[in-house]
Amino acid sequence: MAVLVTGGAGYIGSHTVAELLEKNEEVIVVDNLEKGHKDAVLGGKLIVGDLRDKEFIKNVFYKNDIEAVIHFAAYIEVGESVSNPLKYYNNNVAVSLNLLDAMREAKVNKIVFSSTAATYGEPENIPILETDRTMPTNPYGETKLAVEKALKWSDTAYGIKHVILRYFNASGAHISGKIGEDHNPESHLIPLIIQAALGKRDSIKIFGNDYNTPDGTCVRDYIHVSDLAQAHYLALQKLRRGEDSAIYNLGNGKGFSVREVVDVVRKVTGKNINAVDAPRRPGDPAILVASSEKIKKELNWQPKLNDLETIVATAWEWHSKHPNGYDDK
Ligand code: UDP
């Protein structure tokens, strides 16, 4: 039986597919390739199609023997979600409802869901615990939280068990150098700084210098994408053991300011990077740092690439070899 990975041609999805393949799992990727890259899918079967098409996704379940789902497919840009919220509700929420409905019909009862620290909004406590209040400050986080709630009620009503993984800042690239981060447009901090290091942009903007943080710039918890991928496999194993649904944070428990990240990239790449102060980006909380004690304790999750210099070095390795990203554009 196969594990269905939606959005498996995207950044975190493709690294999770790589992890599943290393574990000899049978993998089916569904991706519309609007944002994903077929070259990022290192194996398994790739079905190109759009989850907004209900008949399409029902057919995927009808034609394949699917045991469990790992659901990544979504739009992910905070800024865009603020300016175009309906695009986010339409894709992120509607697509997930189609998927759950197809799972219910096909009697597939295990799902790992790709969620986000953005569900918390401005945190009550640092580090953030899974039991803390969820009050998103942007539509991206709202859409992920809406799906979390649909999952909760789908468990109660249909017995579809879930593991929700709330990622903090996914970063870095696979140590094989075969896959990495390639968003279009790129909106994430580390790849943007690396583009500046590669001379592909003149400078990097620092969004806000008057936050209530030590150097005035936002503080985030950066986690290596392969450590995230490992957590998806552990979550799948938990569901296979027939355990209850659960929510886990995934971060390293250590925060870095935007300026500190720029400095780490300067150090790793040895390049001059011009960073200029710019206005705040709407919807950005000042500090997001995770407590990941729960997943460490319950699923024995052990991050292996948890040092920011190492994370940046893996990203630099991929980007310097693929300065234009994947070739399949
Ligand atoms: N950021 C920035 N300049 C950029 C892109 C991002 O200052 O060009 C900041 C952003 O405001 C946030 C942090 O870097 O505080 C991480 O942003 P990213 O978009 O990478 O991830 P997010 O925290 O939104 O998930």
Side-chain angles (χ1 to χ4, degrees), residues 48-233:
V48 179
D50 200 306
L51 295 170
R52 280 170 283 213
D53 177 349
K54 225 173 171 165
E55 287 313 305
F56 161 73
I57 186 61
K58 285 191 175 174
N59 253 308
V60 170
F61 281 91
Y62 184 67
K63 290 186 181 150
N64 297 279
D65 201 6
I66 293 166
E67 177 208 1
V69 176
I70 306 184
H71 177 37
F72 294 97
Y75 290 140
I76 58 158
E77 285 168 56
V78 169
E80 184 190 48
S81 81
V82 176
S83 56
N84 198 354
L86 292 182
K87 178 175 174 183
Y88 278 67
Y89 275 90
N90 225 326
N91 193 32
N92 298 6
V93 181
V95 150
S96 303
L97 301 183
N98 285 348
L99 180 65
L100 279 167
D101 216 22
M103 287 176 67
R104 182 180 60 81
E105 264 192 33
K107 302 199 172 8
V108 174
N109 65 357
K110 301 175 189 67
I111 181 167
V112 180
F113 177 58
S114 164
S115 191
T116 169
T119 53
Y120 294 108
E122 224 22 277
E124 292 172 289
N125 306 301
I126 294 293
I128 301 171
L129 293 169
E130 289 84 351
T131 45
D132 285 353
R133 177 191 64 194
T134 47
M135 208 190 271
T137 52
N138 55 63
Y140 167 66
E142 289 282 13
T143 59
K144 289 286 182 176
L145 189 58
V147 177
E148 288 193 4
K149 293 193 172 160
L151 286 169
K152 179 186 146 194
W153 293 110
S154 296
D155 180 357
T156 310
Y158 318 123
I160 298 176
K161 298 288 170 197
H162 61 258
V163 174
I164 290 165
L165 299 176
R166 290 182 179 151
Y167 320 142
F168 284 63
N169 288 65
S171 37
H174 199 270
I175 46 166
S176 68
K178 287 186 187 156
I179 51 175
E181 183 168 15
D182 179 7
H183 295 114
N184 187 18
E186 189 52 76
S187 68
H188 292 102
L189 182 63
I190 292 176
L192 285 172
I193 308 172
I194 287 178
Q195 286 181 1
L198 287 167
K200 294 180 68 70
R201 57 179 63 236
D202 295 338
S203 62
I204 160 90
K205 285 184 185 156
I206 295 185
F207 294 148
N209 59 10
D210 56 353
Y211 284 97
N212 187 16
T213 60
D215 68 13
T217 68
C218 287
V219 170
R220 294 288 182 273
D221 181 340
Y222 295 87
I223 170 167
H224 195 277
V225 63
S226 296
D227 286 333
L228 282 183
Q230 180 208 142
H232 291 76
Y233 181 70

